[in-house]
Amino acid sequence: MTDTARLAGLRVLVVEDEMMVSMLIEDMLTDLGCSVIGPASRLDEAMELAATAALDCAVLDVNLGGQPIFPLADLLRERGHPFAFATGYGDAGLRDVDRGTPVLQKPFREGDLARVLGELRAKVG
């Protein structure tokens, strides 16, 4: 089990277009002691936050209303910010370059999120 104290203060960008899912992720992050950046429900909004906000890592819905999240994944990778994908399709819809990136299989529980955040925290500089 991940020591949630290690997650305290982690600044997590949340990108999710389903309001109820977004609220659930926010609640989980708050319970884990993380700071929520966003959430963003549109790609342009998420790109702006990724470019301007102080963040440590991100949780990205793979599909935002039919628009793939991959431009944001590329930006985060370029900036050295680790991220995880959240999707109901597992890694089936990911590009080759994204293979090996942590995936949260929707629906997921707080323990799953904590485990993945622990992996991301280890990559934060």
Side-chain angles (χ1 to χ4, degrees):
M1 187 63 134
T2 302
D3 178 8
T4 56
R6 288 186 17 231
L7 301 177
L10 192 66
R11 298 167 299 190
V12 183
L13 172 62
V14 175
V15 182
E16 171 61 59
D17 63 342
E18 297 285 338
M19 184 186 305
M20 294 302 291
V21 175
S22 179
M23 291 170 59
L24 182 61
I25 294 171
E26 287 181 78
D27 287 346
M28 289 181 194
L29 289 169
T30 301
D31 289 348
L32 293 169
C34 300
S35 296
V36 176
I37 308 298
S41 61
R42 296 183 332 269
L43 183 59
D44 61 335
E45 180 183 23
M47 295 288 283
E48 177 69 21
L49 284 171
T52 60
L55 60 102
D56 296 311
C57 61
V59 175
L60 311 177
D61 183 3
V62 172
N63 184 336
L64 296 177
Q67 190 170 24
I69 196 69
F70 302 128
L72 177 59
D74 294 340
L75 176 63
L76 292 170
R77 190 176 286 113
E78 178 182 302
R79 293 178 164 264
H81 296 301
F83 57 89
F85 291 113
T87 179
Y89 301 104
D91 63 1
L94 301 182
R95 306 170 299 175
D96 286 342
V97 69
D98 298 313
R99 303 281 177 203
T101 300
V103 175
L104 283 160
Q105 177 73 37
K106 290 180 180 178
F108 55 86
R109 297 178 183 202
E110 189 171 302
D112 301 322
L113 180 59
R115 178 186 46 77
V116 167
L117 288 175
E119 291 176 33
L120 298 179
R121 175 68 161 205
K123 297 177 184 178
V124 172

